[in-house]
Amino acid sequence: MSVAISKRLRALVLGSALLVSAGAGAAFGQARHGATPGEFDFYVLALSWSPSFCEAQGERSSRSMQCAGERPFSFVVHGLWPQFTRGFPEYCQVPAPELDRRVVNGMLDIMPAPGLVRQQWAKHGTCSGARSASAYFETVRQARAKIRIPQEFENITAIKTVSPDEVEDAFVRVNPGLARDMISVQCDSQRLREVRICIGRDMNFTACEEAERRACRREQLVLPPARAGRS
């Protein structure tokens, strides 16, 4: 049995178990508001396919830096999320400490929307236990620098069709230490939405069954191309 088929069967079994157990207790993936900062098991680095986001937003994206600026964004950082083995902490300090404008501006090369930077700090950064917002975003940058984007997802100028397995295989192939149980692909009704990669607190890749439970189950996905612009 191939690795791809084996993984799909495992995911279906886990999904069935989740449905059976949902009525007996808290559902897997449940958010825990106000958890203690710094108490979590691993991170999830979420890399969004920016053209899919912009296409889904339609006219609402026409004035955004991410969708209408000069730079043709492809994969961008959605966030770096502290996770429990089951569930995740969020909004661990309300209100969140205000972000210095210099911190926000310093992240716009990989998180191309000031509102996104602020929202990710409030929802996830406050749960990281980092000594400051600057320290948290340095960890975000460190996690992003660890990931190599496969060549086939660079400079896409026409619509591309792929399967979730092909996306996972491509990332595993070019990132030493990354395995199929450490990554999941997310989608909407037809488009690749994002790739989620699990990273331990030591910044090494780690297995994460919960991310796989929520993975895309479609056979084929569309990648809208990066719009024309200046790289």
Side-chain angles (χ1 to χ4, degrees):
M1 181 180 294
S2 70
V3 173
I5 294 174
S6 177
K7 184 177 181 185
R8 290 292 182 197
L9 288 175
R10 185 175 69 251
L12 289 173
V13 171
L14 288 171
S16 297
L18 174 59
L19 289 174
V20 170
S21 64
F28 300 157
Q30 184 176 8
R32 304 184 196 176
H33 293 265
T36 302
E39 292 188 0
F40 62 95
D41 298 316
F42 61 94
Y43 293 106
V44 166
L45 176 67
L47 300 176
S48 293
W49 183 250
S50 181
S52 291
F53 167 79
C54 295
E55 186 174 281
Q57 291 291 302
E59 293 183 0
R60 289 179 292 177
S61 69
S62 61
R63 295 185 179 180
S64 72
M65 176 188 301
Q66 179 176 346
C67 302
E70 293 184 341
R71 184 177 172 186
F73 289 103
S74 50
F75 276 112
V76 299
V77 174
H78 180 177
L80 182 69
W81 308 332
Q83 300 280 298
F84 300 120
T85 302
R86 293 184 178 179
F88 55 93
E90 66 177 21
Y91 297 109
C92 294
Q93 187 174 349
V94 180
E98 186 173 351
L99 283 181
D100 187 285
R101 181 177 297 179
R102 289 172 296 181
V103 173
V104 175
N105 291 342
M107 294 303 297
L108 295 180
D109 59 324
I110 61 173
M111 299 178 72
L116 172 64
V117 177
R118 295 188 180 95
Q119 190 263 354
Q120 291 297 301
W121 164 244
K123 186 174 184 179
H124 301 290
T126 58
C127 298
S128 68
R131 65 183 183 276
S132 66
S134 295
Y136 168 69
F137 284 111
E138 180 56 36
T139 303
V140 174
R141 191 171 290 280
Q142 183 182 354
R144 173 61 186 88
K146 184 177 178 65
I147 306 302
R148 181 179 178 185
I149 303 300
Q151 186 176 5
E152 54 262 50
F153 298 108
E154 296 179 349
N155 303 316
I156 293 179
T157 58
I159 292 175
K160 183 181 180 72
T161 302
V162 295
S163 70
D165 285 333
E166 288 172 337
V167 176
E168 290 189 7
D169 286 341
F171 273 84
V172 167
R173 185 176 65 250
V174 300
N175 288 281
L178 183 64
R180 291 286 299 270
D181 60 353
M182 304 171 180
I183 180 173
S184 69
V185 171
Q186 307 296 311
C187 61
D188 59 20
S189 60
Q190 60 180 350
R191 293 175 289 249
L192 171 69
R193 191 174 68 188
E194 62 188 27
V195 173
R196 296 179 181 176
I197 299 171
C198 299
I199 301 175
R201 297 178 66 120
D202 59 359
M203 286 291 110
N204 291 317
F205 299 125
T206 188
C208 47
E209 287 186 355
E210 185 158 325
E212 174 57 22
R213 288 187 184 100
R214 299 173 180 275
C216 178
R217 300 289 179 247
R218 301 190 69 83
E219 293 297 324
Q220 294 291 317
L221 301 175
V222 171
L223 277 75
R227 59 175 183 75
R230 194 169 59 190
S231 298

